Amino acid sequence: MMLAGTIVASNYLAMAEVLARSYLRSHPGQRFVILVIDDGEAEVEDDRIEVWRLADLDIASRELAAMLTMYEVREFSTAVKPPFLEALLGRDEVACYIDPDIYVYAPIDEVVRPARDHDIVLTPHVLRPVPRDGLDVSEQSLQLAGMFNLGFLGVGRGAVPFLRWWAERLRTDAVIDFSRGLFTDQRWVDWVPVLFDHVVCRDPGMNIAWWNAHERDVQLVDRGGDEVPTIDGGPVRFVHFSGYDPSRPEVFSHWQPRPRQSWRPDDPLRILAERYGEELVASGHFERRRAAYQYDVADDGTPLTPGLRRLWRQSLLDELAGGRSLADTRTPPAFGPESERLGAWLDGVAGGTVDHPHARRERVVWERRLDLQRAFPDVDGFHAHAFRDWLDREPDARSELGDFRPAWYVPSPAPTAGDRSLARRMGDRARHGLRRGLDLGTRQRRSRRPLDPATRPIAFLHVPKCAGTSLATAVRQALPGHRWAPWIFDPDQFGPLADRELSDELRERTLPDPAAFAEYDAAIGHFSLPSLLARFDPADVVTILREPRCRLLSHHQYWRNLDDDATAEHDTWSDGNATADELEFGDWLADPRVAYQTDNLFARMIVPDHAGIRPDSFIQPASVPSVMASALAEIDRLGWVDVIERGDSVWRDLGERLGVPVVPERHNVTVDRHGRPNPVEQLLGPEAVEHLRARTVIDRAIWRSVAERRGVVDPDGAADVVWSQRLLAALQR
């Protein structure tokens, strides 16, 4: 016999039930186990489905408390797989772990049966060499994730030594840390072919997912009136819908920004995905998952941020490296009887110097904020004094830490009235004060949000010269019941001019602090994404992009054609305006004074805090891959992104996304007043072309990714067509 199960937090119980029902339909007479890792309500109606709790596993209480403290929910769920599988083997001779985002279409008994004699059955991510075409999945990403996908694992009773070996490593090393060769539970299993008896399952119907869909030709075959998925003449046994979101059916997985496989509406795999999504919706999965994960907050109420978890784990590892056993370590876990000591531990010294130390709570803030790391890179040496000054003097530090002061530290004297703000000197722009409890706050907001699209919060990220004014007007008219924030500019977008005094009119239109969004449920303006995410969930954010070369040429035209009134209104950017007025297009692109406007502006608005982005200089070539990867990952989280080159379809699809009609509005705020054409060499000369390529290399990748997802055929060809048209118009002016 065989016993299968999955692991979830209680807020994902509905997803686990969908999996369990699909499994039991293909395996009549069997049972299915759902391990729920927190104390949330977990009742199921099907008596063939058993619900287990952590107490049903053989894990010592001190070990369990440590794992719950150092691991976020995804890491913890993978870390307890070995004891879960060993507990399943106590009931049957073969046990299977199956990820909750899997749907079973056919029996798996015969492919798992070898586990009785060979202990372990693994499924590789791919069965064929991966094309080296720059698309996803890539060889590099598989090397980072591991050769085998642990969303499925079959074991027999002979695998107990492996499970205990695996459990020992996952006790502290189930983190996501690619730089150290760690990716939850997966990279450890790369050792299996060397150390343990095993079978690699090469059945193409097993573990079909975004990482191998390009090599799996799934078909739907009519069998007695039912459409049954098949592959290579055999059954599709299960599909792993990792990263699939039914609210975005045009994307197979949010983990796959550059898909290789087709995803047309009539593709069999997409049809299966949409049916799976319908079952998830009917199960109440989306309502249930709004609940917060219990172990994101310590017993004493401390939010367990990623930085705090990393700091806590490192302290534990240091003790273990010093020869202590886990039972003897002094780093107090966030849960259980020892949790009352967590506060005192957080107040302890974490670094700095003898004269200017800082506490662990304070260190967590530095670890999390790139702006602080850039301002105080040698925080345990040369910059310790400056960081201590920031902690003692800055209002931003108080918004991060509240009234906390280390009991052992005497604060520095208060600054004089003439002191210039350290936050200004760092270019901090007062955004980061909201982030200490952002994850928890976001979950709390989700739990109380209505589902009615007419009242759901919305934020529009307005990229300059991307038809944003037209879209903003239409969206405002379509959602008159929303409370619209009155600002349209973000200091984040002022670049090196952020410290300048604003004119009265411009100050009224400029976001004073992301905290001000709290009073509103809608915003449209030139805001950076981090500022919007201080109030809005990623799913609430929409934006529209334009082919970036065309956008840049229009932006240059806009600046050089401002009339006197508009010039006065935009006085904060007077340098940028004057630069565009003085310089022709190609020279303007080469001027670092306006890099904050010209150099890959999509990316700068999406990930302004990336270490490779500076407001007063161009992004260096060595930083381009990292910035590009971060920007693509961030934009893939947003609720709706499109490209204006799709024409009227943009308006129609946005209306469908918002659930309200969006009536097209056309507003062109770029007017050619001067009638000054750019010389040909400024548009077509080799230096101008090279500058244009450098200023758009990241933005073109973003635009291409979005265009592909929105169904644009041959995005590169389409981009060249619209650029040629825009270029011709500029030459004929």
Side-chain angles (χ1 to χ4, degrees):
M1 289 292 291
M2 179 175 70
L3 184 60
T6 194
I7 302 172
V8 291
S10 58
N11 55 0
Y12 272 69
L13 181 66
M15 176 179 276
E17 286 188 83
V18 170
L19 160 65
R21 290 194 297 267
S22 73
Y23 177 86
L24 293 170
R25 279 194 291 270
S26 295
H27 301 83
Q30 294 191 23
R31 301 181 68 79
F32 193 90
V33 177
I34 300 175
L35 173 64
V36 178
I37 60 174
D38 59 14
D39 297 331
E41 184 274 327
E43 296 295 326
V44 297
E45 296 182 359
D46 193 323
D47 59 8
R48 299 172 299 169
I49 303 174
E50 301 179 24
V51 174
W52 290 6
R53 302 286 187 164
L54 291 173
D56 295 308
L57 306 185
D58 184 16
I59 306 177
S61 59
R62 183 62 164 78
E63 177 183 330
L64 184 61
M67 294 167 70
L68 287 169
T69 304
M70 78 177 80
Y71 292 145
E72 47 86 14
V73 60
R74 181 183 178 190
E75 294 167 339
F76 180 78
S77 296
T78 64
V80 296
K81 280 184 193 176
F84 178 55
L85 282 164
E86 189 168 352
L88 293 177
L89 287 173
R91 292 264 302 271
D92 278 293
E93 59 182 349
V94 173
C96 290
Y97 170 79
I98 306 175
D99 260 358
D101 52 0
I102 281 173
Y103 198 91
V104 180
Y105 296 94
I108 62 174
D109 308 62
E110 63 184 89
V111 292
V112 181
R113 190 174 298 121
R116 296 174 183 171
D117 299 320
H118 298 283
D119 302 343
I120 305 166
V121 174
L122 298 170
T123 52
H125 277 109
V126 295
L127 297 175
R128 302 171 189 168
V130 176
R132 309 191 81 180
D133 54 9
L135 302 177
D136 294 323
V137 64
S138 67
E139 292 171 331
Q140 182 182 27
S141 61
L142 290 181
Q143 287 175 326
L144 292 173
M147 292 298 102
F148 304 102
N149 181 261
L150 272 297
F152 172 83
L153 179 65
V155 293
R157 286 178 172 160
V160 169
F162 154 69
L163 294 176
R164 293 180 180 175
W165 171 90
W166 197 25
E168 181 181 358
R169 281 137 188 87
L170 299 186
R171 200 166 292 134
T172 56
D173 292 329
V175 294
I176 301 172
D177 187 348
F178 292 121
S179 65
R180 289 176 170 80
L182 299 174
F183 182 57
T184 62
D185 57 334
Q186 293 204 165
R187 292 297 301 275
W188 293 109
V189 178
D190 285 348
W191 290 77
V192 165
V194 178
L195 301 178
F196 302 99
D197 194 11
H198 70 287
V199 171
V200 175
C201 176
R202 298 185 60 81
D203 186 322
M206 294 282 284
N207 218 344
I208 300 172
W210 66 264
W211 50 79
N212 57 35
H214 64 279
E215 65 175 29
R216 311 283 173 102
D217 184 18
V218 175
Q219 300 294 326
L220 294 177
V221 177
D222 189 303
R223 298 268 175 85
D226 292 330
E227 282 189 325
V228 176
T230 65
I231 183 168
D232 297 346
V236 167
R237 300 187 189 276
F238 65 83
V239 177
H240 195 161
F241 291 104
S242 173
Y244 178 72
D245 182 351
S247 66
R248 298 182 61 195
E250 73 279 4
V251 178
F252 187 15
S253 172
H254 64 77
W255 302 115
Q256 189 184 28
R258 299 176 300 276
R260 181 177 292 112
Q261 76 281 350
S262 169
W263 197 244
R264 297 185 305 272
D266 60 346
D267 284 334
L269 199 53
R270 179 163 179 176
I271 293 172
L272 293 178
E274 293 181 355
R275 290 174 182 172
Y276 171 68
E278 291 170 359
E279 194 164 342
L280 283 181
V281 171
S283 75
H285 167 65
F286 292 97
E287 291 80 5
R288 183 165 190 129
R289 76 176 186 182
R290 295 191 189 96
Y293 173 53
Q294 175 183 348
Y295 297 113
D296 272 347
V297 180
D299 281 348
D300 69 356
T302 300
L304 296 179
T305 63
L308 194 157
R309 290 189 194 270
R310 285 195 300 270
L311 193 69
W312 192 95
R313 175 174 174 266
Q314 189 57 56
S315 177
L316 184 75
L317 292 178
D318 290 344
E319 288 197 75
L320 295 174
R324 292 183 180 274
S325 68
L326 184 58
D328 296 331
T329 53
R330 298 175 182 175
T331 306
F335 307 101
E338 296 179 77
S339 62
E340 61 186 22
R341 296 193 292 111
L342 181 66
W345 179 81
L346 287 169
D347 295 349
V349 176
T353 62
V354 173
D355 294 327
H356 307 291
H358 54 262
R360 291 188 179 95
R361 291 184 196 271
E362 296 166 332
R363 181 65 166 226
V364 167
V365 176
W366 182 88
E367 293 276 0
R368 181 168 50 82
R369 289 181 44 167
L370 292 176
D371 63 317
L372 296 180
Q373 294 171 35
R374 288 195 294 263
F376 315 117
D378 188 10
V379 73
D380 295 320
F382 182 78
H383 295 114
H385 187 185
F387 181 52
R388 188 70 253 171
D389 276 350
W390 183 87
L391 290 167
D392 291 343
R393 299 182 180 187
E394 281 301 302
D396 195 15
R398 299 280 60 81
S399 65
E400 288 275 10
L401 295 161
D403 295 330
F404 168 75
R405 299 278 189 181
W408 40 262
Y409 185 72
V410 178
S412 304
T416 63
D419 281 355
R420 184 165 178 255
S421 165
L422 287 170
R424 281 286 187 180
R425 193 156 67 242
M426 295 188 309
D428 183 40
R429 301 180 295 278
R431 179 185 63 252
H432 304 277
L434 297 172
R435 294 191 180 175
R436 177 166 58 91
L438 182 59
D439 289 345
L440 179 62
T442 297
R443 282 189 293 275
Q444 290 171 339
R445 288 198 303 275
R446 283 175 175 162
S447 68
R448 61 175 181 261
R449 276 193 182 147
L451 295 177
D452 184 354
T455 57
R456 177 173 179 158
I458 180 173
F460 178 59
L461 189 153
H462 182 173
V463 180
K465 314 316 302 168
C466 289
T469 301
S470 300
L471 194 63
T473 303
V475 171
R476 278 181 177 272
Q477 292 178 354
L479 300 171
H482 281 61
R483 293 167 297 143
W484 291 92
W487 310 287
I488 59 172
F489 297 114
D490 187 338
D492 239 0
Q493 301 305 296
F494 294 177
L497 310 178
D499 282 338
R500 293 195 176 182
E501 291 297 324
L502 304 180
S503 65
D504 291 341
E505 182 175 357
L506 190 56
R507 184 182 300 108
E508 291 179 359
R509 303 171 70 189
T510 299
L511 178 69
D513 188 298
F517 278 142
E519 301 300 318
Y520 303 93
D521 57 16
I524 287 183
H526 300 291
F527 306 118
S528 70
L529 181 58
S531 289
L532 292 175
L533 295 184
R535 162 64 178 93
F536 300 92
D537 290 341
D540 300 331
V541 179
V542 302
T543 190
I544 185 171
L545 305 179
R546 182 182 184 184
E547 199 285 325
R549 293 169 296 180
C550 297
R551 191 203 68 77
L552 264 181
L553 190 52
S554 288
H555 206 170
H556 180 254
Q557 180 186 353
Y558 171 79
W559 276 123
R560 74 189 322 198
N561 291 324
L562 290 179
D563 59 21
D564 293 340
D565 290 341
T567 299
E569 177 186 335
H570 292 72
D571 183 62
T572 296
W573 299 288
S574 57
D575 286 358
N577 180 27
T579 303
D581 197 46
E582 297 166 1
L583 300 177
E584 304 297 349
F585 183 60
D587 295 333
W588 183 66
L589 296 176
D591 196 318
R593 290 177 296 172
V594 287
Y596 70 101
Q597 295 184 38
T598 63
D599 185 38
N600 293 286
L601 187 62
F602 296 172
R604 288 174 179 267
M605 296 183 74
I606 296 163
V607 288
D609 296 326
H610 192 285
I613 294 178
R614 295 184 59 85
D616 55 354
S617 63
F618 299 126
I619 299 171
Q620 297 304 303
S623 298
V624 165
S626 176
V627 175
M628 185 183 299
S630 297
L632 286 168
E634 281 297 285
I635 207 164
D636 196 48
R637 301 169 58 210
L638 304 188
W640 185 84
V641 186
D642 209 337
V643 295
I644 66 172
E645 287 75 16
R646 291 203 317 115
D648 289 342
S649 298
V650 172
W651 306 91
R652 183 196 66 235
D653 292 352
L654 177 60
E656 292 178 358
R657 174 71 181 176
L658 298 179
V660 293
V662 176
V663 180
E665 293 280 344
R666 307 294 183 185
H667 298 272
N668 183 10
V669 297
T670 300
V671 179
D672 185 6
R673 301 183 180 91
H674 294 179
R676 292 164 45 195
N678 272 280
V680 173
E681 65 272 12
Q682 289 288 319
L683 297 171
L684 298 176
E687 290 188 3
V689 170
E690 178 55 30
H691 292 321
L692 185 63
R693 186 206 64 79
R695 300 296 89 83
T696 61
V697 62
I698 302 174
D699 284 357
R700 288 191 73 184
I702 297 170
W703 184 92
R704 183 188 307 114
S705 174
V706 174
E708 287 174 345
R709 280 185 282 154
R710 301 305 300 170
V712 174
V713 178
D714 186 13
D716 287 326
D720 288 340
V721 168
V722 296
W723 169 241
S724 298
Q725 294 170 341
R726 183 70 184 83
L727 189 62
L728 182 61
L731 290 171
Q732 293 176 341
R733 182 174 295 115

